[in-house]
């Protein structure tokens, strides 16, 4: 059995048109999303194993804002996760050996990945969305198209309503 936790970065700022996409920070709304989602994501177990995060500033700020006092077994800031292509995530996952892992990254890659294996999928992943899925497989190389079970899907709106 494998477990995969997907976290889309919190809302980023477009205030400085001179910044490269990679360097965009979070805006006030994004920082508020972290405050709203932190406890729910921690309680779901997303930081009980290794965490892998995009090199983008907004993804790393999301990671730092969600961690608080959580202690993952390891944190890896990986340039391969600064992608918007689901196929690149699938290739990255195929090389993994962990039974459970957390990815912090970007749409449309995360949304497309969830849609590929979850039937029905959660649909659109807004900023700071969280998806926890369980997969009945023993090797990530079999992940592409393997059916998965949605364990939990949270967004800032659903958490804010207490859903």
């Amino acid at each position: 059995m494998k477990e995969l936790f997907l976290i889309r970065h919190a809302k980023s700022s477009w205030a400085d048109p001179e910044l490269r996409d990679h360097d965009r920070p979070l805006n006030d709304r994004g920082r508020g999303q972290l405050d709203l989602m932190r406890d729910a994501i921690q309680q779901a177990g997303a930081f009980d194993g290794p965490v892998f995060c995009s090199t983008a500033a907004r993804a790393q700020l999301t990671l730092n804002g969600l961690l608080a006092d959580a202690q993952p077994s390891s944190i890896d800031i990986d340039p391969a996760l600064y992608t918007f292509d689901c196929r690149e995530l699938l290739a990255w996952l195929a090389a993994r050996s962990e039974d459970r892992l957390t990815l912090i990254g970007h749409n449309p890659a995360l949304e497309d990945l969830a849609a590929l294996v979850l039937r029905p999928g959660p649909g659109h992943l807004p900023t700071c969305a969280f998806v926890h899925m369980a997969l009945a497989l023993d090797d990530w190389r079999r992940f592409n198209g393997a059916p998965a079970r949605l364990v939990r899907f949270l967004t800032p709106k659903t958490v804010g309503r207490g859903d």
Side-chain angles (χ1 to χ4, degrees):
M1 177 65 85
K2 302 282 187 190
E3 284 187 281
L4 180 61
F5 301 86
L6 304 177
I7 301 170
R8 183 178 175 199
H9 64 79
K11 186 74 174 165
S12 61
S13 173
W14 292 88
D16 184 349
E18 300 297 316
L19 279 182
R20 297 178 319 139
D21 177 73
H22 190 270
D23 299 329
R24 288 188 298 112
L26 300 180
N27 64 17
D28 289 342
R29 181 175 158 205
R31 288 185 291 277
Q33 289 174 326
L34 298 175
D35 292 340
L36 199 59
M37 297 290 286
R38 182 179 303 109
D39 288 344
I41 289 174
Q42 286 186 12
Q43 289 171 8
F47 300 124
D48 293 348
V51 176
F52 300 88
C53 182
S54 162
T55 55
R58 61 193 180 273
Q60 292 183 58
L61 290 167
T62 297
L63 168 63
N64 292 334
L66 291 174
L67 279 178
D69 58 355
Q71 299 286 323
S73 60
S74 64
I75 296 174
D76 188 1
I77 308 300
D78 192 330
L81 298 178
Y82 179 65
T83 183
F84 308 98
D85 187 335
C86 171
R87 293 169 298 193
E88 291 179 14
L89 287 183
L90 287 170
W92 182 88
L93 276 166
R96 306 306 319 163
S97 61
E98 299 86 356
D99 286 333
R100 74 186 282 140
L101 52 92
T102 298
L103 300 181
I104 300 175
H106 310 274
N107 267 359
L110 294 179
E111 189 171 293
D112 292 346
L113 184 67
L116 179 68
V117 296
L118 292 170
R119 308 248 190 312
H124 175 63
L125 300 185
T127 52
C128 215
F130 170 76
V131 178
H132 176 191
M133 61 181 86
L135 300 103
L137 47 92
D138 58 357
D139 191 319
W140 287 110
R141 289 177 291 192
R142 296 189 182 100
F143 182 66
N144 188 3
R149 179 177 56 84
L150 179 63
V151 176
R152 184 168 294 152
F153 175 52
L154 302 171
T155 69
K157 283 186 180 179
T158 61
V159 170
R161 289 193 311 253
D163 294 351

